[in-house]
Amino acid sequence: GYSSAAKEITVRDALNSALDEEMSADPSVFLMGEEVGEYQGAYKITKGLLDKYGPDRVLDTPITEAGFTGIGVGAAYQGLRPVIEFMTFNFSMQAIDHIINSAAKSNYMSAGQINVPIVFRGPNGAAAGVGAQHSQCYAAWFAHVPGLKVLAPYSSEDARGLLKAAIRDPDPVVFLENELLYGESFPVSDEVLDSSFALPIGKAKIEREGKDVTITAFSKMVGYALQAAEILSKEGISAEVINLRSIRPLDRAAINASVRKTNRLVTLEEGFPQHGVGAEICMSVVEESFEYLDAPIERIAGADVPMPYAANLERLAVPQIEDIVRAARRACYRALPMTATA
Amino acid sequence: PPSAPVPRHRIPQIPLNPARASRASPAMAAAILRRLSPAAAQRAPPRLLPPTLARGVSDSTEPLTVETSVPFTSHIVDPPSRDVSTTPRELAAAFRDMALMRRAEIAADSLYKAKLIRGFCHLYDGQEAVAVGMEAAITRRDAIITAYRDHCLYLARGGDLVAAFAELMGRVDGCSRGKGGSMHFYKKDANFYGGHGIVGAQVPLGCGLAFAQRYRKEGTVTFDLYGDGAANQGQLFEALNMAALWKLPVILVCENNHYGMGTAEWKASKSPAYYKRGDYVPGLKV
């Protein structure tokens, strides 16, 4: 026979179908957030779900994050499975006490009596031209806390598999999406489209195999890393790109195995550099694979400044593909062109 | 304090002043002493109570009506009747529970001062009637949540006294296996959800418990306790708004002990009429 073209779906449709299927399979799953119902979702992720499941299971909330996040956590104490949407994770700071103190720590403080099967999801990180208060990446903030799981999908397969795993998980999960990825299409196999599909939490994916330098990334930066790897391959540098998928727990085994193979590491993230995800990855490699490093670890992160508005400044404040390429070259001792040494 | 004269109760007043009660005649005291055997006289000190006072506590289940000492004040709702029907057994059990809670809290205070309880120790002595009175009105299928003044709520929900003290002292036999401490007592099988250290956080959480009760159509309610200090928290009004919009079966209970941490009520709250703070939500001053 012939092989049909692989089906492509957008990240938006991947998330929507995952929510739909999980709500259909488990009546205790419900959605809560601003504009998730009648407006069909601020970014249309929850489109059609109010019509399908009704207002008892898809709840439009007032603009009161602390209140509705607390209500969601309380409902989870009683065994329901809420999916709380933050219009962006910048607004999760209004509710961060409930995420950390009411959700993440309860299982430990109650010695296992209370578990909190809740998902907090929404777009994270920089968008385009939305300014300082609407552009921060919170991966490092949430990944700091024991008791939380933190996921960051890149492709449609990641979006479907990780969101399903998050909803089925008995503990609180922070699910960091990216607004600029919602419209991107990725090929998906039949297995991914099956309603029972889920990805394991805590496992990274090698998006591109290589042997000269490891580049770790998550969310939108995975796409940038792949483009950088393409450019690097033309210069004779074979980059291995790791899509982290899970920020907490971090797949330290995969990262270290890759670094032991390539001996060089570039960590890539969009967020601020200090105390960021790259700092943790660097320490993990120093702890476990120090003798395998042939060069200092390179860290590419957003600029250490509140996100500016002007387009040229904004471009300078987030990593660009040239920055990743330059860092990989530095890690491979190719920072200077060969002729400069003559 | 109530300005109206104290109304006549229907239960006879028993003088509990031991000094007055022991003013028995010398002849009566001698008669009591003669009735005791020499060995008993050496063992136990002579009791000088007149015989009419030395009676057992009633466990009668005959219905009994008590009129509360002050009427209820209400906000946009009719206040309930002042007549409460109960039984001697129920009242005696309530008294026993409150007395146990009082003793437990005073003991905890001593342990805290001896540094055998570390960190924080928020005591409920003086507030026992709230926990005990609530329990009399509900079942264990209804839910209760409170902040960190939680020792007696845990006991009222059927928690074990030794487990409570073990938890306070950080032992593995504690109700949270020593991992929670004073502020984090839970008893999920009795629908007691803690035990929260962040002032006011328990209010939206309690509305969430009620959300689940309504979602599952259980017909149960949640009592969501907070103090006069937490009454000013913004998240309380956020949660109350949603509870009213979605008709959640939650009762927000303000336990007003007139202090929020170290600050007196009059310095912290512009309006001390907490039962009216619900605005569009009915309120009751108890």
Side-chain angles (χ1 to χ4, degrees):
Chain A
Y2 64 96
S3 61
S4 52
K7 182 153 191 232
E8 283 208 350
I9 60 171
T10 60
V11 170
R12 177 179 287 114
D13 288 341
L15 295 168
N16 184 274
S17 60
L19 289 169
D20 191 352
E21 288 161 22
E22 294 305 302
M23 288 181 78
S24 173
D26 186 344
S28 67
V29 178
F30 70 95
L31 308 184
M32 195 187 273
E34 296 156 16
E35 315 294 3
V36 296
E38 276 194 42
Y39 197 83
Q40 309 297 324
Y43 301 96
K44 305 292 179 257
I45 307 301
T46 52
K47 185 173 177 189
L49 297 177
L50 173 64
D51 285 341
K52 190 163 175 185
Y53 296 102
D56 283 345
R57 294 185 68 190
V58 179
L59 288 110
D60 282 319
T61 62
I63 311 172
T64 50
E65 277 80 3
F68 70 71
T69 305
I71 288 178
V73 175
Y77 283 176
Q78 280 265 27
L80 294 186
R81 303 189 92 95
V83 179
I84 305 295
E85 177 174 304
F86 293 116
M87 201 176 284
T88 74
F89 266 91
N90 299 285
F91 317 127
S92 73
M93 291 206 290
Q94 304 240 297
I96 200 163
D97 176 62
H98 281 297
I99 300 172
I100 310 299
N101 285 317
S102 304
K105 297 179 183 171
S106 284
N107 192 249
Y108 186 89
M109 290 192 300
S110 69
Q113 275 186 73
I114 311 266
N115 74 300
V116 190
I118 193 167
V119 176
F120 305 104
R121 54 157 290 272
N124 175 60
V130 289
Q133 293 179 341
H134 289 73
S135 304
Q136 189 165 335
C137 172
Y138 289 89
W141 283 45
F142 291 115
H144 187 64
V145 182
L148 282 184
K149 292 174 189 162
V150 180
L151 303 178
Y154 162 62
S155 62
S156 301
E157 174 181 334
D158 291 355
R160 262 183 70 82
L162 293 176
L163 186 54
K164 280 164 163 291
I167 292 171
R168 296 176 199 174
D169 198 275
D171 297 316
V173 181
V174 172
F175 192 81
L176 304 172
E177 301 160 8
N178 187 287
E179 188 201 323
L180 299 174
L181 283 177
Y182 283 153
E184 273 200 39
S185 289
F186 295 85
V188 285
S189 66
D190 288 337
E191 186 200 350
V192 172
L193 291 171
D194 188 71
S195 64
S196 66
F197 176 68
L199 285 171
I201 291 177
K203 292 274 173 262
K205 181 186 178 198
I206 311 288
E207 288 285 346
R208 178 184 173 126
E209 290 209 9
K211 55 179 183 54
D212 293 330
V213 59
T214 300
I215 305 176
T216 61
F218 62 94
S219 189
K220 190 162 114 258
M221 290 291 124
V222 176
Y224 281 35
L226 289 170
Q227 292 182 62
E230 199 49 48
I231 295 169
L232 287 163
S233 71
K234 295 181 176 57
E235 298 175 16
I237 297 176
S238 157
E240 178 151 290
V241 176
I242 300 183
N243 172 6
L244 292 173
R245 283 180 165 175
S246 179
I247 314 299
R248 184 176 181 112
L250 206 52
D251 193 348
R252 298 168 197 275
I255 296 165
N256 279 282
S258 174
V259 171
R260 289 180 180 211
K261 184 174 75 168
T262 65
N263 310 121
R264 298 162 201 276
L265 176 61
V266 175
T267 71
L268 173 58
E269 67 199 286
E270 199 180 57
F272 302 132
Q274 187 164 342
H275 307 297
V277 176
E280 176 61 31
I281 293 174
C282 173
M283 197 58 217
S284 174
V285 169
V286 162
E287 281 171 351
E288 293 187 45
S289 310
F290 182 70
E291 318 79 54
Y292 291 83
L293 286 171
D294 285 346
I297 298 170
E298 295 283 341
R299 165 172 59 182
I300 298 293
D304 193 43
V305 71
M307 183 67 67
Y309 166 67
N312 59 331
L313 294 178
E314 189 179 45
R315 211 176 309 116
L316 290 170
V318 286
Q320 302 299 328
I321 295 171
E322 310 87 68
D323 299 319
I324 308 165
V325 170
R326 256 200 321 274
R329 282 193 205 124
R330 272 199 305 270
C332 296
Y333 303 150
R334 309 269 191 87
L336 299 171
M338 294 298 283
T339 49
T341 60
Chain B
S3 53
V6 176
R8 181 177 51 79
H9 291 273
R10 292 177 215 189
I11 300 175
Q13 293 276 24
I14 299 172
L16 293 174
N17 184 335
R20 287 174 52 200
S22 63
R23 224 183 293 141
S25 68
M28 197 176 282
I32 292 167
L33 275 170
R34 273 198 298 277
R35 262 193 290 251
L36 293 172
S37 68
Q42 282 174 332
R43 224 178 23 244
R47 301 186 63 211
L48 298 178
L49 287 174
T52 47
L53 288 176
R55 65 185 173 193
V57 177
S58 173
D59 62 352
S60 157
T61 52
E62 285 296 308
L64 171 65
T65 306
V66 179
E67 187 186 49
T68 62
S69 50
V70 285
F72 295 107
T73 320
S74 67
H75 171 68
I76 66 172
V77 71
D78 289 331
S81 162
R82 286 173 68 177
D83 290 330
V84 180
S85 57
T86 178
T87 69
R89 171 184 286 190
E90 189 176 53
L91 289 176
F95 176 76
R96 183 197 170 275
D97 289 343
M98 291 194 289
L100 184 132
M101 288 173 182
R102 177 66 60 98
R103 294 289 297 275
E105 293 294 76
I106 302 298
D109 185 43
S110 303
L111 290 170
Y112 186 68
K113 287 175 170 134
K115 298 200 186 328
L116 289 164
I117 296 175
R118 303 183 315 123
F120 296 111
C121 190
H122 301 94
L123 299 174
Y124 203 72
D125 50 312
Q127 298 178 217
E128 302 89 344
V130 178
V132 172
M134 249 172 21
E135 283 296 334
I138 58 176
T139 71
R140 291 274 161 81
R141 290 179 54 240
D142 299 298
I144 295 183
I145 192 169
T146 187
Y148 41 76
R149 208 172 296 279
D150 57 351
H151 308 161
C152 298
L153 270 312
Y154 169 76
L155 293 175
R157 287 261 98 178
D160 182 63
L161 189 66
V162 173
F165 276 93
E167 184 60 35
L168 289 173
M169 298 171 81
R171 305 306 181 102
V172 71
D173 294 315
C175 49
S176 297
R177 300 180 66 77
K179 291 182 173 180
S182 167
M183 297 190 288
H184 304 297
F185 284 20
Y186 304 83
K187 195 162 171 40
K188 190 169 180 190
D189 59 7
N191 279 301
F192 176 56
Y193 288 92
H196 296 271
I198 307 294
V199 172
Q202 77 278 15
V203 178
L205 294 174
C207 295
L209 297 174
F211 180 94
Q213 291 171 326
R214 183 173 177 277
Y215 189 98
R216 291 204 182 104
K217 302 178 174 44
E218 286 176 4
T220 50
V221 303
T222 295
F223 279 78
D224 195 351
L225 277 65
Y226 62 99
D228 49 297
N232 297 312
Q233 277 261 318
Q235 58 186 319
L236 185 153
F237 297 95
E238 294 188 16
L240 193 66
N241 176 47
M242 284 180 269
L245 276 172
W246 300 335
K247 301 183 176 39
L248 303 183
V250 63
I251 296 123
L252 274 65
V253 179
C254 177
E255 295 184 277
N256 184 3
N257 60 17
H258 305 289
Y259 278 85
M261 296 197 297
T263 300
E265 180 190 3
W266 63 270
K267 286 181 87 171
S269 293
K270 183 70 177 171
S271 161
Y274 302 104
Y275 71 108
K276 287 191 192 167
R277 293 267 203 103
D279 186 12
Y280 41 80
V281 172
L284 200 60
K285 181 164 167 4
V286 176

